Short mmCIF file of all heavy atoms in Angstrom, two decimals:
data_model
loop_
_atom_site.label_atom_id
_atom_site.label_comp_id
_atom_site.label_asym_id
_atom_site.label_seq_id
_atom_site.Cartn_x
_atom_site.Cartn_y
_atom_site.Cartn_z
N ALA A 99 -14.92 1.61 19.88
CA ALA A 99 -14.75 2.40 18.66
C ALA A 99 -13.78 1.73 17.71
O ALA A 99 -12.86 1.02 18.12
CB ALA A 99 -14.21 3.78 19.02
N TYR A 100 -13.98 1.97 16.44
CA TYR A 100 -13.08 1.56 15.37
C TYR A 100 -12.16 2.75 15.13
O TYR A 100 -12.64 3.89 14.98
CB TYR A 100 -13.89 1.21 14.12
CG TYR A 100 -13.04 0.84 12.94
CD1 TYR A 100 -12.49 -0.43 12.85
CD2 TYR A 100 -12.81 1.73 11.91
CE1 TYR A 100 -11.72 -0.79 11.76
CE2 TYR A 100 -12.04 1.38 10.82
CZ TYR A 100 -11.50 0.12 10.75
OH TYR A 100 -10.74 -0.24 9.67
N GLU A 101 -10.86 2.53 15.09
CA GLU A 101 -9.91 3.62 14.96
C GLU A 101 -8.84 3.26 13.94
O GLU A 101 -8.67 2.10 13.59
CB GLU A 101 -9.28 3.94 16.32
CG GLU A 101 -10.34 4.25 17.37
CD GLU A 101 -9.80 4.59 18.75
OE1 GLU A 101 -8.57 4.62 18.93
OE2 GLU A 101 -10.62 4.82 19.64
N ILE A 102 -8.14 4.29 13.45
CA ILE A 102 -7.04 4.08 12.52
C ILE A 102 -5.82 4.82 13.04
O ILE A 102 -5.93 5.73 13.86
CB ILE A 102 -7.38 4.57 11.09
CG1 ILE A 102 -7.73 6.06 11.10
CG2 ILE A 102 -8.50 3.73 10.49
CD1 ILE A 102 -7.82 6.67 9.72
N GLY A 103 -4.66 4.42 12.55
CA GLY A 103 -3.45 5.10 12.97
C GLY A 103 -2.32 4.87 11.98
O GLY A 103 -2.40 4.01 11.11
N THR A 104 -1.26 5.67 12.17
CA THR A 104 -0.06 5.55 11.36
C THR A 104 1.15 5.57 12.29
O THR A 104 1.27 6.45 13.14
CB THR A 104 0.04 6.70 10.34
OG1 THR A 104 -1.12 6.68 9.51
CG2 THR A 104 1.27 6.55 9.46
N ILE A 105 2.05 4.61 12.10
CA ILE A 105 3.27 4.54 12.88
C ILE A 105 4.31 5.47 12.24
O ILE A 105 4.47 5.48 11.02
CB ILE A 105 3.81 3.09 12.94
CG1 ILE A 105 2.78 2.18 13.61
CG2 ILE A 105 5.15 3.03 13.67
CD1 ILE A 105 3.12 0.70 13.57
N SER A 106 5.01 6.23 13.08
CA SER A 106 6.03 7.15 12.59
C SER A 106 7.17 6.39 11.91
O SER A 106 7.40 5.21 12.20
CB SER A 106 6.57 8.00 13.74
OG SER A 106 7.21 7.17 14.70
N PRO A 107 7.91 7.04 11.00
CA PRO A 107 9.00 6.36 10.29
C PRO A 107 10.06 5.76 11.21
O PRO A 107 10.66 4.74 10.87
CB PRO A 107 9.60 7.47 9.42
CG PRO A 107 8.48 8.43 9.21
CD PRO A 107 7.69 8.39 10.51
N ASP A 108 10.27 6.34 12.40
CA ASP A 108 11.26 5.77 13.32
C ASP A 108 10.68 4.65 14.17
O ASP A 108 11.39 4.03 14.98
CB ASP A 108 11.87 6.85 14.20
CG ASP A 108 10.87 7.53 15.13
OD1 ASP A 108 9.69 7.11 15.20
OD2 ASP A 108 11.28 8.49 15.81
N GLY A 109 9.37 4.37 14.04
CA GLY A 109 8.73 3.27 14.75
C GLY A 109 8.46 3.53 16.22
O GLY A 109 8.13 2.62 16.96
N LYS A 110 8.54 4.78 16.66
CA LYS A 110 8.40 5.09 18.08
C LYS A 110 7.05 5.68 18.47
O LYS A 110 6.72 5.77 19.64
CB LYS A 110 9.51 6.04 18.52
CG LYS A 110 10.88 5.39 18.42
CD LYS A 110 11.96 6.33 18.89
CE LYS A 110 13.32 5.64 18.77
NZ LYS A 110 14.38 6.50 19.23
N LYS A 111 6.24 6.10 17.50
CA LYS A 111 4.95 6.72 17.80
C LYS A 111 3.86 6.16 16.89
O LYS A 111 4.11 5.83 15.75
CB LYS A 111 5.01 8.24 17.63
CG LYS A 111 5.92 8.93 18.62
CD LYS A 111 5.85 10.42 18.41
CE LYS A 111 6.92 11.13 19.17
NZ LYS A 111 6.71 11.44 20.49
N LEU A 112 2.67 6.10 17.44
CA LEU A 112 1.48 5.71 16.68
C LEU A 112 0.49 6.86 16.81
O LEU A 112 -0.04 7.11 17.90
CB LEU A 112 0.87 4.42 17.24
CG LEU A 112 -0.49 4.00 16.68
CD1 LEU A 112 -0.42 3.73 15.18
CD2 LEU A 112 -1.02 2.77 17.43
N GLN A 113 0.29 7.61 15.73
CA GLN A 113 -0.69 8.70 15.72
C GLN A 113 -2.02 8.10 15.32
O GLN A 113 -2.11 7.36 14.34
CB GLN A 113 -0.28 9.79 14.75
CG GLN A 113 -1.24 10.96 14.76
CD GLN A 113 -0.77 12.10 13.88
OE1 GLN A 113 0.30 12.04 13.28
NE2 GLN A 113 -1.56 13.13 13.79
N ILE A 114 -3.09 8.41 16.11
CA ILE A 114 -4.39 7.81 15.85
C ILE A 114 -5.46 8.87 15.59
O ILE A 114 -5.33 10.02 16.03
CB ILE A 114 -4.84 6.88 16.99
CG1 ILE A 114 -5.13 7.67 18.27
CG2 ILE A 114 -3.81 5.80 17.24
CD1 ILE A 114 -5.87 6.88 19.32
N ALA A 115 -6.50 8.44 14.90
CA ALA A 115 -7.67 9.28 14.65
C ALA A 115 -8.91 8.42 14.79
O ALA A 115 -8.90 7.23 14.47
CB ALA A 115 -7.61 9.88 13.25
N TYR A 116 -9.96 9.02 15.31
CA TYR A 116 -11.23 8.33 15.49
C TYR A 116 -12.34 9.37 15.46
O TYR A 116 -12.06 10.58 15.48
CB TYR A 116 -11.27 7.54 16.80
CG TYR A 116 -10.92 8.36 18.03
CD1 TYR A 116 -11.90 8.99 18.78
CD2 TYR A 116 -9.60 8.53 18.41
CE1 TYR A 116 -11.58 9.75 19.88
CE2 TYR A 116 -9.26 9.29 19.52
CZ TYR A 116 -10.27 9.90 20.25
OH TYR A 116 -9.95 10.67 21.34
N LYS A 117 -13.56 8.91 15.38
CA LYS A 117 -14.69 9.83 15.30
C LYS A 117 -14.70 10.74 16.53
O LYS A 117 -14.86 10.26 17.64
CB LYS A 117 -16.00 9.05 15.22
CG LYS A 117 -17.20 9.93 15.00
CD LYS A 117 -18.45 9.09 14.84
CE LYS A 117 -19.65 9.99 14.61
NZ LYS A 117 -20.87 9.21 14.50
N GLY A 118 -14.42 12.00 16.33
CA GLY A 118 -14.49 12.97 17.42
C GLY A 118 -13.17 13.32 18.07
O GLY A 118 -13.14 14.16 18.95
N GLY A 119 -12.05 12.69 17.67
CA GLY A 119 -10.81 13.03 18.35
C GLY A 119 -9.57 12.44 17.72
O GLY A 119 -9.61 11.82 16.67
N SER A 120 -8.45 12.64 18.43
CA SER A 120 -7.18 12.11 17.98
C SER A 120 -6.23 11.97 19.16
O SER A 120 -6.51 12.48 20.26
CB SER A 120 -6.56 13.03 16.93
OG SER A 120 -6.28 14.30 17.50
N GLY A 121 -5.12 11.29 18.94
CA GLY A 121 -4.14 11.12 20.00
C GLY A 121 -2.86 10.52 19.46
O GLY A 121 -2.74 10.21 18.27
N VAL A 122 -1.89 10.35 20.37
CA VAL A 122 -0.59 9.78 20.00
C VAL A 122 -0.16 8.80 21.09
O VAL A 122 -0.23 9.12 22.28
CB VAL A 122 0.48 10.87 19.83
CG1 VAL A 122 1.85 10.25 19.56
CG2 VAL A 122 0.12 11.84 18.73
N TYR A 123 0.26 7.62 20.66
CA TYR A 123 0.84 6.63 21.57
C TYR A 123 2.35 6.58 21.35
O TYR A 123 2.83 6.67 20.21
CB TYR A 123 0.31 5.22 21.28
CG TYR A 123 -1.10 4.96 21.70
CD1 TYR A 123 -2.12 4.85 20.77
CD2 TYR A 123 -1.42 4.79 23.04
CE1 TYR A 123 -3.42 4.58 21.15
CE2 TYR A 123 -2.73 4.52 23.43
CZ TYR A 123 -3.71 4.42 22.49
OH TYR A 123 -5.00 4.15 22.87
N GLU A 124 3.09 6.37 22.43
CA GLU A 124 4.51 6.02 22.36
C GLU A 124 4.56 4.49 22.29
O GLU A 124 3.85 3.81 23.03
CB GLU A 124 5.25 6.49 23.62
CG GLU A 124 5.27 8.00 23.80
CD GLU A 124 6.24 8.69 22.86
OE1 GLU A 124 7.26 8.08 22.48
OE2 GLU A 124 5.96 9.85 22.50
N ILE A 125 5.38 3.96 21.39
CA ILE A 125 5.57 2.52 21.26
C ILE A 125 6.90 2.19 21.94
O ILE A 125 7.95 2.69 21.53
CB ILE A 125 5.61 2.08 19.78
CG1 ILE A 125 4.32 2.49 19.07
CG2 ILE A 125 5.86 0.58 19.68
CD1 ILE A 125 4.38 2.35 17.56
N ASN A 126 6.84 1.37 22.99
CA ASN A 126 8.05 1.02 23.72
C ASN A 126 7.99 -0.47 24.05
O ASN A 126 7.36 -0.86 25.04
CB ASN A 126 8.16 1.87 24.99
CG ASN A 126 9.49 1.69 25.69
OD1 ASN A 126 10.35 0.94 25.23
ND2 ASN A 126 9.66 2.37 26.80
N GLY A 127 8.60 -1.29 23.20
CA GLY A 127 8.54 -2.74 23.40
C GLY A 127 7.11 -3.23 23.29
O GLY A 127 6.45 -3.03 22.28
N ASN A 128 6.61 -3.85 24.37
CA ASN A 128 5.24 -4.37 24.36
C ASN A 128 4.25 -3.41 25.00
O ASN A 128 3.15 -3.80 25.35
CB ASN A 128 5.19 -5.74 25.05
CG ASN A 128 5.44 -5.65 26.54
OD1 ASN A 128 6.02 -4.68 27.02
ND2 ASN A 128 5.00 -6.64 27.27
N LYS A 129 4.62 -2.12 25.13
CA LYS A 129 3.73 -1.14 25.75
C LYS A 129 3.31 -0.06 24.77
O LYS A 129 4.09 0.35 23.91
CB LYS A 129 4.43 -0.47 26.94
CG LYS A 129 4.65 -1.42 28.11
CD LYS A 129 5.15 -0.70 29.34
CE LYS A 129 4.17 0.21 29.99
NZ LYS A 129 3.01 -0.36 30.62
N LEU A 130 2.07 0.38 24.91
CA LEU A 130 1.55 1.57 24.24
C LEU A 130 1.09 2.53 25.33
O LEU A 130 0.22 2.17 26.13
CB LEU A 130 0.36 1.22 23.34
CG LEU A 130 0.60 0.38 22.10
CD1 LEU A 130 -0.71 0.09 21.39
CD2 LEU A 130 1.56 1.08 21.15
N THR A 131 1.68 3.69 25.40
CA THR A 131 1.24 4.71 26.35
C THR A 131 1.02 5.99 25.57
O THR A 131 1.82 6.34 24.69
CB THR A 131 2.29 4.96 27.46
OG1 THR A 131 3.54 5.25 26.87
CG2 THR A 131 2.42 3.74 28.36
N GLY A 132 -0.08 6.66 25.85
CA GLY A 132 -0.35 7.88 25.11
C GLY A 132 -1.55 8.62 25.61
O GLY A 132 -2.28 8.16 26.49
N CYS A 133 -1.76 9.79 25.03
CA CYS A 133 -2.86 10.66 25.41
C CYS A 133 -3.50 11.26 24.17
O CYS A 133 -2.92 11.29 23.10
CB CYS A 133 -2.35 11.79 26.31
SG CYS A 133 -1.64 11.22 27.88
N GLY A 134 -4.71 11.78 24.36
CA GLY A 134 -5.42 12.43 23.28
C GLY A 134 -6.61 13.19 23.82
O GLY A 134 -6.81 13.28 25.03
N ALA A 135 -7.40 13.73 22.91
CA ALA A 135 -8.57 14.52 23.30
C ALA A 135 -9.60 14.48 22.19
O ALA A 135 -9.28 14.14 21.05
CB ALA A 135 -8.16 15.97 23.58
N GLY A 136 -10.82 14.81 22.54
CA GLY A 136 -11.88 14.81 21.54
C GLY A 136 -13.13 15.47 22.04
O GLY A 136 -13.16 16.06 23.13
N ARG A 137 -14.15 15.34 21.24
CA ARG A 137 -15.46 15.90 21.56
C ARG A 137 -16.49 14.81 21.34
O ARG A 137 -16.48 14.14 20.30
CB ARG A 137 -15.75 17.07 20.66
CG ARG A 137 -17.10 17.68 20.92
CD ARG A 137 -17.31 18.93 20.13
NE ARG A 137 -18.62 19.45 20.45
CZ ARG A 137 -19.11 20.54 19.97
NH1 ARG A 137 -18.42 21.26 19.11
NH2 ARG A 137 -20.30 20.95 20.31
N VAL A 138 -17.35 14.62 22.31
CA VAL A 138 -18.41 13.62 22.18
C VAL A 138 -19.39 14.12 21.13
O VAL A 138 -19.85 15.25 21.19
CB VAL A 138 -19.12 13.38 23.53
CG1 VAL A 138 -20.27 12.41 23.35
CG2 VAL A 138 -18.13 12.88 24.55
N ASN A 139 -19.70 13.26 20.16
CA ASN A 139 -20.61 13.69 19.09
C ASN A 139 -21.61 12.60 18.75
O ASN A 139 -21.96 12.42 17.61
CB ASN A 139 -19.81 14.12 17.87
CG ASN A 139 -18.88 13.04 17.36
OD1 ASN A 139 -18.83 11.94 17.90
ND2 ASN A 139 -18.14 13.34 16.32
N GLU A 140 -22.06 11.87 19.76
CA GLU A 140 -23.10 10.87 19.56
C GLU A 140 -24.17 11.03 20.63
O GLU A 140 -23.93 11.63 21.67
CB GLU A 140 -22.52 9.46 19.64
CG GLU A 140 -21.58 9.15 18.51
CD GLU A 140 -21.03 7.74 18.57
OE1 GLU A 140 -21.36 7.00 19.51
OE2 GLU A 140 -20.27 7.37 17.67
N GLY A 141 -25.32 10.48 20.39
CA GLY A 141 -26.39 10.51 21.39
C GLY A 141 -27.30 11.70 21.19
O GLY A 141 -27.13 12.51 20.29
N PRO A 142 -28.30 11.81 22.07
CA PRO A 142 -29.24 12.93 21.97
C PRO A 142 -28.51 14.27 22.06
O PRO A 142 -27.54 14.42 22.79
CB PRO A 142 -30.15 12.74 23.18
CG PRO A 142 -30.02 11.30 23.53
CD PRO A 142 -28.62 10.90 23.14
N PHE A 143 -28.98 15.22 21.30
CA PHE A 143 -28.34 16.53 21.19
C PHE A 143 -28.01 17.15 22.55
O PHE A 143 -26.90 17.63 22.76
CB PHE A 143 -29.27 17.47 20.41
CG PHE A 143 -28.67 18.81 20.15
CD1 PHE A 143 -27.74 18.99 19.14
CD2 PHE A 143 -29.04 19.91 20.91
CE1 PHE A 143 -27.19 20.23 18.88
CE2 PHE A 143 -28.49 21.15 20.66
CZ PHE A 143 -27.57 21.32 19.64
N GLY A 144 -28.90 17.08 23.49
CA GLY A 144 -28.70 17.69 24.80
C GLY A 144 -27.58 17.06 25.60
O GLY A 144 -26.99 17.68 26.47
N GLN A 145 -27.23 15.81 25.30
CA GLN A 145 -26.18 15.12 26.05
C GLN A 145 -24.78 15.44 25.54
O GLN A 145 -23.82 15.41 26.28
CB GLN A 145 -26.38 13.61 26.00
CG GLN A 145 -27.56 13.14 26.80
CD GLN A 145 -27.71 11.63 26.72
OE1 GLN A 145 -26.96 10.95 26.03
NE2 GLN A 145 -28.70 11.11 27.40
N TRP A 146 -24.64 15.75 24.25
CA TRP A 146 -23.28 15.90 23.74
C TRP A 146 -22.89 17.31 23.37
O TRP A 146 -21.71 17.56 23.12
CB TRP A 146 -23.01 14.95 22.58
CG TRP A 146 -23.87 15.09 21.36
CD1 TRP A 146 -24.95 14.34 21.05
CD2 TRP A 146 -23.71 16.01 20.28
NE1 TRP A 146 -25.48 14.72 19.85
CE2 TRP A 146 -24.74 15.75 19.35
CE3 TRP A 146 -22.81 17.03 20.00
CZ2 TRP A 146 -24.87 16.48 18.17
CZ3 TRP A 146 -22.95 17.75 18.83
CH2 TRP A 146 -23.97 17.46 17.92
N ILE A 147 -23.79 18.25 23.37
CA ILE A 147 -23.39 19.60 23.04
C ILE A 147 -22.40 20.12 24.08
O ILE A 147 -22.62 19.97 25.28
CB ILE A 147 -24.61 20.55 22.88
CG1 ILE A 147 -24.15 21.87 22.29
CG2 ILE A 147 -25.36 20.73 24.18
CD1 ILE A 147 -25.27 22.74 21.80
N ASN A 148 -21.31 20.64 23.65
CA ASN A 148 -20.28 21.21 24.52
C ASN A 148 -19.64 20.20 25.47
O ASN A 148 -19.18 20.58 26.54
CB ASN A 148 -20.83 22.39 25.32
CG ASN A 148 -21.25 23.53 24.43
OD1 ASN A 148 -20.62 23.78 23.41
ND2 ASN A 148 -22.32 24.20 24.79
N THR A 149 -19.60 18.92 25.12
CA THR A 149 -18.94 17.94 25.98
C THR A 149 -17.59 17.57 25.34
O THR A 149 -17.54 17.11 24.21
CB THR A 149 -19.80 16.68 26.16
OG1 THR A 149 -21.03 17.07 26.78
CG2 THR A 149 -19.10 15.67 27.05
#
Side-chain angles (χ1 to χ4, degrees):
Y100 177 79
E101 304 180 2
I102 59 169
T104 302
I105 299 173
S106 63
D108 64 6
K110 295 182 180 181
K111 294 184 191 276
L112 171 62
Q113 182 175 358
I114 67 166
Y116 53 92
K117 185 176 181 182
S120 63
V122 176
Y123 287 108
E124 296 285 331
I125 302 169
N126 188 1
N128 69 339
K129 292 188 69 67
L130 292 177
T131 54
C133 298
R137 179 173 181 179
V138 177
N139 57 1
E140 293 182 359
F143 184 78
Q145 289 180 359
W146 60 262
I147 190 167
N148 296 325
T149 299

